[in-house]
Every structure is written in C-alpha cells, then in structure tokens.
Amino acid sequence: GQQLNQSPQSMFIQEGEDVSMNCTSSSIFNTWLWYKQDPGEGPVLLIALYKAGELTSNGRLTAQFGITRKDSFLNISASIPSDVGIYFCAGQINSGGSNYKLTFGKGTLLTVNP
Amino acid sequence: DAGVIQSPRHEVTEMGQEVTLRCKPISGHNSLFWYRQTMMRGLELLIYFNNNVPIDDSGMPEDRFSAKMPNASFSTLKIQPSEPRDSAVYFCASTRLGQEQFFGPGTRLTVL
C-alpha cells in the first residue's frame, strides 16, 4: 500500500523561530492534508490542499502541494508555545465512488521552548 | 455540535477478555472510520463504512477484530480475545461525502 515518509521525526525549537516539515510518497495523491494532534486528543485538520502546485495559508501556517503530487510541506512561522504537538501529513486518493481513505505519515513531534 | 463521541476514554483489561469500543459520529456524516495509533506504526486505518456499509476492512489486523455499524449514529469495534499487543489508542472519525475527517478524542486501551 501507499506509504508516506514524513520528516523530521521531531524538532526542538525556540519560541519565535520558523518551522518546516515535509512529506514524500512514492505514490501520487489527489489531496494532501496536514493535521495537528494535541496530547490526549484526536488529530485536527489544519490545512487541505487539492491541486498540484497549490500554496495555501492559514494564519501562521503555510502548506504546499508538490507539482509531482508526491510531496507536500508545512511551514509554521514565528512559533509560539501552543504550537507544541504532533503534526501529521495525510494523503488521499480520490478514486471516485466511495473511496475516502487517508494514508498518514508517522508524524513530526514539535517542542517549542519559551 | 458535539463532535465525534467515543467511549470509554480509557480501558484497562486482561489478556483474553473481550473489549468493545463505541463511537457516535457527527450527525449528518455518512462515512465512519476506525483508526489505531501506536508509537511504532503511527495512525493506521482499520476499517471504514459508507452509509453504514463496510467498504474496506483490509486494515483489520486479525479475525479477533470486528466492527459493526447498525445505524447511522453508532458503531462498535470489538476485540475478542484481546492481547497485550492490541494496546493502543483507537480513534473514530466521521465525514460527509469525502470532506474533512473529524476525529473523536480516542480510547486508550491497555491489555495486561
């Protein structure tokens, strides 16, 4: 099945720094998604990307859908302590009908030192 | 909107016992997903339903695992008999027509 390679596995940064993480795949996806998971909670969607080359922002977050449809990155600018958590990329192949499966990366654990 | 509701939030049981996890999707959502999260394997899709019908159960690890969705507002994931390697956080998520998946808070299962 499809696999997503997410990097880095973990990051330790100072408050105010910018952060970048990415995902690559050997398979093509039609949709790329970025989720954040806080301790003891389920993942929450941050950004969804639907077109190759698409660049989308959500506040301090910016994500891009790679031209080849096999990769995506997420940037966080001016990090703050509440950015702490695990960030997951997820790819979806919309093959029509009722196929809405997501494949998740292993996650990037972000720690922000105040 | 109450969001996806899962129960129990925590479950501790002994090896060999039956475990039943419950999920109530968001009202109006017609797709429901069961995931398992572990440190080693990350988030894995176990099974998903569309309009209460199981579409893909290829992620279900063994016959010990079974899932049902008797109606649009309720689903169960059952493990019988449970084993220590089943210890994980189990998430339920729901969506409407392939839009954003909303995750529940998860059930942390510990099998001793």
Side-chain angles (χ1 to χ4, degrees), chain A residues 35 37 40-43 45 88 92 98-102 104-106, chain B residues 9 31 33 35 37 40-41 45 48 50 56 91 98 100-101 103-104:
Chain A
Y35 284 81
Q37 185 177 21
E41 302 293 333
L45 182 66
F88 292 96
Q92 183 176 31
S98 56
N99 186 355
Y100 305 127
K101 288 175 62 172
L102 290 180
F104 281 86
K106 291 290 181 65
Chain B
R9 292 295 309 273
S31 295
F33 304 77
Y35 291 89
Q37 185 177 39
M40 290 297 294
R41 302 173 68 90
L45 178 66
Y48 79 97
N50 279 347
D56 187 339
F91 288 102
E100 173 188 353
Q101 289 189 23
F103 282 76

Side-chain angles (χ1 to χ4, degrees), chain A residues 10-112:
Chain A
S10 62
M11 303 181 72
F12 297 85
I13 63 171
Q14 292 296 126
E15 182 177 0
E17 291 183 358
D18 297 342
V19 172
S20 184
M21 57 193 80
N22 68 82
C23 270
T24 60
S25 170
S26 57
S27 304
I28 290 175
F29 289 102
N30 299 118
T31 301
W32 280 92
L33 305 156
W34 285 93
Y35 284 81
K36 182 192 178 197
Q37 185 177 21
D38 291 326
E41 302 293 333
V44 174
L45 182 66
L46 298 174
I47 289 181
L49 303 157
Y50 300 103
K51 291 172 56 177
E54 179 181 356
L55 183 70
T56 297
S57 294
N58 178 6
R60 293 178 297 106
L61 307 178
T62 302
Q64 183 157 31
F65 191 153
I67 287 291
T68 64
R69 294 196 286 160
K70 294 183 178 181
D71 63 294
S72 177
F73 71 75
L74 174 70
N75 289 340
I76 306 173
S77 63
S79 59
I80 58 178
S82 62
D83 290 335
V84 166
I86 304 176
Y87 291 79
F88 292 96
C89 62
Q92 183 176 31
I93 298 176
N94 304 325
S95 59
S98 56
N99 186 355
Y100 305 127
K101 288 175 62 172
L102 290 180
T103 301
F104 281 86
K106 291 290 181 65
T108 295
L109 174 62
L110 178 63
T111 302
V112 180

Side-chain angles (χ1 to χ4, degrees), chain B residues 29-97:
Chain B
H29 284 190
N30 62 340
S31 295
L32 183 143
F33 304 77
W34 282 102
Y35 291 89
R36 177 173 67 176
Q37 185 177 39
T38 61
M39 289 291 292
M40 290 297 294
R41 302 173 68 90
L43 264 169
E44 301 174 281
L45 178 66
L46 300 177
I47 185 172
Y48 79 97
F49 297 82
N50 279 347
N51 298 316
N52 314 336
V53 176
I55 300 300
D56 187 339
D57 65 354
S58 59
M60 296 286 262
E62 300 170 34
D63 291 344
R64 298 184 296 107
F65 285 68
S66 62
K68 294 182 179 180
M69 192 165 185
N71 56 63
S73 59
F74 184 66
S75 177
T76 59
L77 177 68
K78 185 175 295 186
I79 308 173
Q80 166 64 18
S82 58
E83 297 183 3
R85 60 194 169 117
D86 301 332
S87 298
V89 181
Y90 291 82
F91 288 102
C92 175
S94 71
T95 185
R96 184 198 322 237
L97 294 177

